[in-house]
Amino acid sequence: MATTLPRIQVTQTPELAAGLELAAKEWPGASRSELVARLAEAGTETLAARRAERRAQRRKVLDETRGKYASVYPPGYLEELREDWPE
């Protein structure tokens, strides 16, 4: 199929072959190049979801600990500490 988009070459490793076999069952009748593209799209969606989940987990921890240690350091502690640092 003609396209103006850049193309890439992919070596069919055993892992990719297994992925293509699974993809062919999911999308029967699709060409091998289309299967590779669909696998890449599915991988992108999976990675994006994982990143969003990690971000949500970090935010949850931050929310849970926000203000938890406020009484550990007295007011002005940071400013006093910085007075000891050379410029």
Side-chain angles (χ1 to χ4, degrees):
M1 177 178 287
T3 181
T4 58
L5 299 174
R7 293 178 178 260
I8 60 169
Q9 224 176 348
V10 179
T11 301
Q12 186 172 316
T13 62
E15 296 82 7
L16 180 57
L20 287 169
E21 185 178 325
L22 185 60
K25 292 175 184 174
E26 184 72 19
W27 301 295
S31 69
R32 292 175 69 70
S33 61
E34 186 177 346
L35 293 175
V36 170
R38 287 185 179 193
L39 284 171
E41 290 171 12
T44 299
E45 291 169 4
T46 299
L47 290 175
R50 284 183 191 171
R51 289 178 60 89
E53 178 61 29
R54 285 194 308 265
R55 180 178 221 144
Q57 288 297 326
R58 285 191 304 268
R59 181 145 327 265
K60 180 183 176 205
V61 170
L62 288 171
D63 289 343
E64 289 171 353
T65 58
R66 181 175 288 129
K68 188 174 184 177
Y69 302 104
S71 63
V72 173
Y73 299 102
Y77 169 79
L78 188 56
E79 288 76 19
E80 288 178 26
L81 183 65
R82 286 182 176 152
E83 288 175 2
D84 294 336
W85 293 349
E87 292 284 329

